[in-house]
Amino acid sequence: MNPYSPLKVFHHPHKLDQLKQGEQPTPAQVQLIISDLCNQDCSFCAYRMSGYTSNELFIGSSEPASFGTNNPKRQIPYEKIQAILDDCKTLGVGAIQITGGGEPLVHPMCLMVLHGVLERGMQLALVTNGTKMNDRVQSILLDAAWVRISIDAGSATTYSKVRRVSTRAWHTVWDNVKQLVQKRDEAGSSLIIGIGFVVTADNWPWILDCVQLARDAGVDNIRLSAVFQPEDESYFATFYKEASDLCRQAEDYNTGEFKVFNNFGDRVADLKQHSPDYSFCGYQHFTTYIGGDLNVYRCCGYAYNQRGLIGSITNQSFYTLWKSQEKEEDFNSFDAKGCERCQFNEKNRTILYALEPNPAHVDFV
């Protein structure tokens, strides 16, 4: 029951058949960035990290906010968001993940956006820092598939340091998490509530503290990952063993109701590999990314990057771009070996296996 399993691709046999026949399917999921503006200033944010792939086009010509590092005021107008959601529904997209970019819930129309996804019959997910996850947001989320709250710390002091905000925000987030859990349980909602912990040089000693807090709060899971940054695996050289040991110890906190998904080692392995050893990127056919700059990118790892750019929907619809010859040629010519790094290696290898016409020894299960 791993929500991060690469095997989920096998639940989309029609899309796999389309790829086998040389067709390009509609993505199962669209990641929609409604706001590049953020109310926090995380030191490890990929979009604000100078020299990292997702920072290349991030600021662009946008006016920066007075608060935060490389923090554009850019947000997608609500009318355009409605048109994007309509196109996603028409195309047959199954799920919309509202994520960042920036913090989705600072968008003035965020409640209407969340409601709009559900109203169109698509599954809803939200990635948020949780500081603005108020009662009205929580009520809407009861009908969502999942929410992941990025916390990345085990104490108020560390939280304040890595996210460069007041320690008050730490208490606000955990209060909001606990309120959401209570509402979910009282309503009998199927909402999956998770916590995100991206391991960095500043927060790794507090991994177990965050895991304990998450379990005590009654959430369903916590995901432990590794920060992606320009130094790749060398970034972890001085603390990899210690952090890896803590991540393994965190798995001992698993219960029937609470799961620790330890992705730390896999993500560091992705960084150590550097460029993919395969050319075909299957992941871009299952998930696409619409940035707050109204550019469509092939994945979050190459969002706000020229290499990841598929096209702009500033002056055309998402539907038109997705059905265009431009997009088809872009996908056909893309060679994954040209990427500096990829956090979707396992998913891409699984897709490649699923597309293999004559896999070996299939009866030796």
Side-chain angles (χ1 to χ4, degrees), residues 55-76:
N55 177 255
E56 182 182 85
L57 305 176
F58 186 64
I59 292 296
S61 60
S62 296
E63 179 186 357
S66 58
F67 168 79
T69 305
N70 297 329
N71 194 19
K73 292 182 177 179
R74 184 174 56 230
Q75 296 180 328
I76 301 180

Side-chain angles (χ1 to χ4, degrees), residues 85 96 98 113-124:
L85 293 179
I96 303 292
I98 306 295
V113 173
L114 298 177
H115 178 72
V117 175
L118 296 169
E119 189 177 45
R120 288 167 175 84
M122 294 180 287
Q123 296 180 80
L124 170 66

Side-chain angles (χ1 to χ4, degrees), residues 75-354:
Q75 296 180 328
I76 301 180
Y78 178 59
E79 294 74 16
K80 185 66 174 181
I81 296 172
Q82 287 183 299
I84 291 169
L85 293 179
D86 285 340
D87 284 346
C88 289
K89 176 65 175 177
T90 300
L91 285 166
V93 173
I96 303 292
Q97 180 184 154
I98 306 295
T99 183
E103 167 52 43
L105 298 183
V106 304
H107 194 292
M109 299 298 289
C110 64
L111 289 171
M112 293 301 295
V113 173
L114 298 177
H115 178 72
V117 175
L118 296 169
E119 189 177 45
R120 288 167 175 84
M122 294 180 287
Q123 296 180 80
L124 170 66
L126 173 68
V127 180
T128 173
N129 62 36
T131 56
K132 290 187 171 292
M133 196 171 63
N134 58 31
D135 286 343
R136 295 177 67 190
V137 173
Q138 292 171 26
S139 295
I140 293 177
L141 288 177
L142 295 180
D143 292 317
W146 58 266
V147 59
R148 185 169 68 244
I149 301 97
S150 302
I151 293 183
D152 313 298
S155 70
T157 302
T158 307
Y159 184 89
S160 176
K161 178 181 178 181
V162 300
R163 305 188 83 86
R164 296 193 280 232
V165 292
S166 166
T167 55
R168 291 192 301 273
W170 163 264
H171 302 289
T172 298
V173 170
W174 281 112
D175 286 346
N176 289 343
V177 169
K178 292 171 185 176
Q179 289 170 13
L180 180 60
V181 169
Q182 182 177 355
K183 286 184 178 180
R184 186 271 310 270
D185 293 347
E186 290 175 350
S189 164
S190 60
L191 173 70
I192 300 297
I193 304 172
I195 301 297
F197 192 110
V198 176
V199 177
T200 74
D202 294 318
N203 67 8
W204 68 264
W206 292 274
I207 290 171
L208 297 183
D209 299 84
C210 189
V211 172
Q212 181 68 62
L213 287 165
R215 190 172 74 172
D216 291 347
V219 303
D220 298 285
N221 64 69
I222 183 170
R223 185 186 73 174
L224 307 176
S225 192
V227 61
F228 268 48
Q229 29 59 46
E231 298 176 53
D232 291 324
E233 79 279 11
S234 64
Y235 172 89
F236 298 94
T238 60
F239 65 94
Y240 175 79
K241 183 182 183 305
E242 292 86 349
S244 182
D245 287 346
L246 289 175
C247 288
R248 282 194 292 269
Q249 291 175 42
E251 296 178 43
D252 294 336
Y253 287 72
N254 282 326
T255 68
E257 294 76 34
F258 176 75
K259 299 298 180 186
V260 176
F261 297 110
N262 176 13
N263 295 344
F264 177 70
D266 290 340
R267 296 294 77 80
V268 175
D270 289 332
L271 290 169
K272 187 175 182 179
Q273 177 176 315
H274 302 287
S275 297
D277 54 4
Y278 48 85
S279 291
F280 181 73
C281 175
Y283 184 74
Q284 68 179 346
H285 292 279
F286 287 86
T287 298
T288 199
Y289 184 109
I290 301 176
D293 58 357
L294 289 177
N295 283 330
V296 179
Y297 299 97
R298 66 187 78 257
C299 71
C300 61
Y302 270 86
Y304 303 98
N305 184 282
Q306 193 65 44
R307 177 171 175 77
L309 180 62
I310 298 170
S312 172
I313 56 173
T314 300
N315 297 313
Q316 65 177 327
S317 69
F318 176 58
Y319 182 96
T320 300
L321 175 63
W322 197 261
K323 292 293 188 179
S324 69
Q325 188 71 23
E326 171 193 3
K327 174 260 177 183
E328 184 175 348
E329 291 175 355
D330 176 88
F331 275 33
N332 286 336
S333 63
F334 185 74
D335 186 345
K337 289 183 178 179
C339 297
E340 293 182 44
R341 60 188 70 82
C342 181
Q343 65 197 78
F344 306 110
N345 284 314
E346 191 175 8
K347 291 183 179 182
N348 272 325
R349 292 190 183 107
T350 302
I351 293 169
L352 283 167
Y353 176 79

Side-chain angles (χ1 to χ4, degrees), residues 22-78:
E23 301 173 10
Q24 296 183 2
T26 295
Q29 172 191 207
V30 166
Q31 292 178 274
L32 178 58
I33 287 64
I34 62 175
S35 175
D36 284 326
L37 178 67
C38 195
N39 60 342
Q40 297 196 336
D41 189 23
C42 300
S43 58
F44 53 90
C45 178
Y47 306 106
R48 292 159 175 80
M49 191 185 300
S50 296
Y52 189 64
T53 48
S54 297
N55 177 255
E56 182 182 85
L57 305 176
F58 186 64
I59 292 296
S61 60
S62 296
E63 179 186 357
S66 58
F67 168 79
T69 305
N70 297 329
N71 194 19
K73 292 182 177 179
R74 184 174 56 230
Q75 296 180 328
I76 301 180
Y78 178 59

